[in-house]
Amino acid sequence: MSLVKYNNNSISAVTSAPLIPLGALTHIKTLTASSSATLSFVDGTDGVVLDSTYPIYRFEFINCHPATDSVNFTFNLSTDGGSNYNVTKTSSVFMAAHNESDSNTFLIYDTNQDLAQSTGEQEISDNTGNDADQNLCGTLELFSPSSTTFAKHFMCKVNNMQYHDYMRCDFTAGYGNTTSAVNAIRFKFSSGNIDSGKIKLYGIKDS
């Protein structure tokens, strides 16, 4: 097989290139917060798809800003179309942090955010500030939510600007311990509204 070499001129002449195969990411719905208590994605409501159409669903959090200072961003799952958000969950959380003054850094397992067979809210960020420039961004993947055989696994990474000027990155993984189909998910802060920001929902097809 011959080796093809490129220079700056040949690269600049390229007008199109094949997309990187990322499992056919398909945009489904964008929710925009405006002093919103919660943002919820419910299958079959307002164009939302959260069923067997895709084996993986991806949520992207973009510049989510809380109305209240020092609050945690959370989610919960529903098996009854959003009437109740109380799926039993078990999870683990670790985080890395670094402050703006460069005086402190740490990498720890966070026992304050993990769950053990709890129906409560799953925290995916901690102590987000509400200064004008403070916010969080991140992603969450939910696997096979429509399965009636297996538990519902999730993995999440959120980068967060905390109220006391720490950069904190939380890594959360776990499962919803239910064999019922999960058909809704709700995001909110632990106190106060989501002042602004967007959450985007994508479906990822089988490769």
Side-chain angles (χ1 to χ4, degrees), residues 1 3 13 20-21 66 77-78 84 88 93 102 129 137 141 143-144 148 161 165 169 187 194:
M1 182 177 69
L3 179 65
I20 298 173
L77 304 169
S78 174
N84 297 280
T88 299
V93 182
D102 198 23
C137 296
E141 284 83 37
F143 297 84
S144 300
T148 55
M161 189 173 180
D165 297 326
C169 191
F187 299 95
I194 308 172

Side-chain angles (χ1 to χ4, degrees), residues 125-197:
S125 81
D126 180 77
N127 289 328
T128 304
N130 73 337
D131 288 357
D133 64 341
Q134 293 176 329
N135 64 338
L136 65 85
C137 296
T139 60
L140 181 148
E141 284 83 37
L142 178 62
F143 297 84
S144 300
S146 66
S147 173
T148 55
T149 302
F150 298 113
K152 313 304 184 291
H153 290 268
F154 56 84
M155 294 190 297
C156 181
K157 180 173 72 172
V158 174
N159 203 55
N160 168 33
M161 189 173 180
Q162 293 185 305
Y163 76 99
H164 49 355
D165 297 326
Y166 272 76
M167 186 295 300
R168 171 166 166 154
C169 191
D170 286 85
F171 298 83
T172 306
Y175 55 84
N177 195 8
T178 178
T179 55
S180 297
V182 166
N183 52 21
I185 184 169
R186 179 186 67 192
F187 299 95
K188 66 176 186 176
F189 282 108
S190 55
S191 179
N193 290 336
I194 308 172
D195 179 60
S196 61

